Amino acid sequence: MPLSHVKSEAHFARAQKVIPGGVNSPARAFGGVGGTPVIIDRADGPYLYDIDGNRYLDYIGSWGPHILGHRHPQIMDAIQASLQKGTSYGAPCESETVLAELVIAAVPSIEKVRMVNSGTEATMSAIRVARGFTGRNVIIKFAGCYHGHVDSLLVQAGSGALTHGVPSSPGVPAGCTADTLSLPYNDCQQLEDTFSRRGGEIAAVILEPVVGNMGVVIPTPEFLQTLQRVCRQHGAVLIFDEVMTGFRLAFGGAQERFGIRPDMTTLGKILGGGMPVGAYGGRTDIMNSVSPVGPVYQAGTLSGNPVAMAAGIAMLTALKELNPYPALETFTARLCVGLSALAGKYGLPHTIPQIGSMFTLFFNPEVVTSYDVAKHSDTKRFARYFHAMLDGGVYLACSQYEANFVSAALTEEHLQATLQAADRALEQIARS
Ligand code: KE4
């Protein structure tokens, strides 16, 4: 039974008059699934509540940040306490150092770290630093990976760019992307060949060490090992974009799971506990090229904002205390086994890559290893599944080319409710 979205529809019509597409980020616009985005009124624990009074089990958690669920007491208390001391100083404060120390303790490859305000700022800055440090210009990225809306990285990008069918954006001058090479993810041979031909020009390779932005795509061990080897051989900076996977797949991120030590790492999402925080960091020799120590300029009025730092400190402290990762892995694995059984029961070709608390149900019979495979997914069938689940009170990522995120606020009761909604949804779409 479809839910009532009368108020959301009315408000979204109003929003579209004053905000492009009615959204401040295209990923929220339901472009990949059609229909009208529900307007959220509030969130608590595992739930989102829209302005029509509908309640949803939340499987995006603000696209990753809310690994402990919404309004976690430790994070909310820290934000409230910080607010009593003001909102922003434009001068150094203790909490910036405390959060930097927590990041460095959690991610050993990070020896020095700079806070910024978004994942995009983190990757944009990391690219500039890698180019400044090496004196080289060429950057390698991988098709389907999304690293924020950085000019030089909006080439065959994933996430909203892929969802909306514009993986390489207009408005980016050719000069900005002339030095960006986009290779197939998980393709060791093309990586090797590119380095053989142009190794001396390559400043950095940036990748999602587990892709979330074309749906979940897991790297082969050989791919990661090849990456590390060729970067070291040719003096290129290996950048793990862990904006999504950092503190998500393990406390030390994907690099902890895979035992790979990148030269630089970008972070965001969970790091801010729901507040706007990004960060980039890595080897001391590289990070010492950043102003004011070195010549590579990067700055930000609200970087290291004390309220955001307080939220990040509370988040990382809670994650260390609670260690939710084993339970998240078990929950997510059980959920995906259940979803796959249901999709199979209704004869729906699918694959469900899952790692840690990230998963995607691809309506695609092939195991998705790269952009070329992902793009053959049945996005129309996904759209019907998404809306059927939404009507069932389950809020999934609104694109086939996004990851879902399980939070520690979800319990057995929620797992069963999700599978019951999926049973109805998958039966419904199998019939249509
Ligand atoms: P932000 O600038 O959106 O904070 O971070 C950009 C970014 C960088 N790197 C990775 C691996 C990312 O996943 C992101 C942002 N992720 C998307 C979701 N796929 C954010 C959602 C949105 O754009 O609204």
Side-chain angles (χ1 to χ4, degrees), residues 29-40:
F30 277 23
V33 295
T36 301
V38 292
I39 307 296
I40 301 303

Side-chain angles (χ1 to χ4, degrees), residues 23-33 48 58-67 70 146 159-160 163-164 212-215 242-246 248 268-270 274 357-360 382 386 395-406:
V23 292
N24 283 311
S25 190
R28 310 171 194 165
F30 277 23
V33 295
L48 289 172
D58 181 11
Y59 282 93
I60 63 165
S62 186
W63 298 100
H66 295 303
I67 189 170
H70 293 278
Y146 175 73
S159 186
T163 297
H164 292 270
N213 288 297
M214 50 177 146
E242 298 225 42
V243 167
M244 188 184 279
T245 56
R248 166 65 60 180
K269 294 183 190 281
I270 291 172
S357 51
M358 291 171 60
F359 72 96
T360 296
F382 177 84
F386 172 83
Y395 196 107
L396 298 171
C398 52
S399 167
Q400 174 71 101
Y401 304 122
E402 294 283 3
N404 296 288
F405 302 96
V406 171

Side-chain angles (χ1 to χ4, degrees), residues 107-160:
V107 188
S109 70
I110 298 178
E111 297 168 351
K112 277 194 175 176
V113 62
R114 170 65 63 85
M115 301 293 167
V116 292
N117 300 283
S118 69
T120 295
E121 268 193 273
T123 58
M124 174 180 70
S125 308
I127 292 292
R128 183 181 311 133
V129 169
R131 283 171 158 159
F133 175 73
T134 60
R136 301 173 181 177
N137 293 334
V138 174
I139 297 292
I140 290 177
K141 77 174 290 288
F142 297 94
C145 287
Y146 175 73
H147 304 289
H149 61 94
V150 187
D151 273 355
S152 61
L153 297 178
L154 279 177
V155 176
Q156 291 190 310
S159 186

Side-chain angles (χ1 to χ4, degrees), residues 87-301:
T87 54
S88 178
Y89 314 131
C93 65
E94 291 173 311
S95 57
E96 295 172 274
T97 307
V98 173
L99 186 55
E101 289 168 344
L102 287 170
V103 167
I104 288 166
V107 188
S109 70
I110 298 178
E111 297 168 351
K112 277 194 175 176
V113 62
R114 170 65 63 85
M115 301 293 167
V116 292
N117 300 283
S118 69
T120 295
E121 268 193 273
T123 58
M124 174 180 70
S125 308
I127 292 292
R128 183 181 311 133
V129 169
R131 283 171 158 159
F133 175 73
T134 60
R136 301 173 181 177
N137 293 334
V138 174
I139 297 292
I140 290 177
K141 77 174 290 288
F142 297 94
C145 287
Y146 175 73
H147 304 289
H149 61 94
V150 187
D151 273 355
S152 61
L153 297 178
L154 279 177
V155 176
Q156 291 190 310
S159 186
L162 179 54
T163 297
H164 292 270
V166 191
S168 304
S169 174
V172 176
C176 285
T177 56
D179 290 317
T180 305
L181 303 178
S182 181
L183 301 181
Y185 198 80
N186 275 324
D187 187 325
C188 299
Q189 194 55 58
Q190 288 217 35
L191 186 62
E192 298 254 25
D193 292 348
T194 304
F195 267 93
S196 300
R197 284 184 288 105
R198 304 189 62 180
E201 302 170 65
I202 298 169
V205 178
I206 186 168
L207 75 152
E208 295 180 57
V210 167
V211 187
N213 288 297
M214 50 177 146
V216 172
V217 174
I218 298 168
T220 63
E222 300 73 27
F223 183 59
L224 292 177
Q225 285 145 22
T226 303
L227 269 165
Q228 189 163 52
R229 175 170 49 78
V230 294
C231 285
R232 286 194 178 148
Q233 274 172 348
H234 296 271
V237 175
L238 176 58
I239 303 171
F240 267 21
D241 178 357
E242 298 225 42
V243 167
M244 188 184 279
T245 56
F247 309 107
R248 166 65 60 180
L249 296 183
F251 191 55
Q255 57 193 273
E256 177 184 308
R257 276 186 90 105
F258 297 134
I260 297 279
R261 191 181 174 95
D263 302 306
M264 293 184 80
T265 299
T266 54
L267 297 167
K269 294 183 190 281
I270 291 172
L271 177 59
M275 298 294 283
V277 177
Y280 66 97
R283 286 173 16 205
T284 300
D285 60 333
I286 296 175
M287 293 302 291
N288 280 344
S289 61
V290 181
S291 179
V293 183
V296 180
Y297 197 70
Q298 179 271 315
T301 302

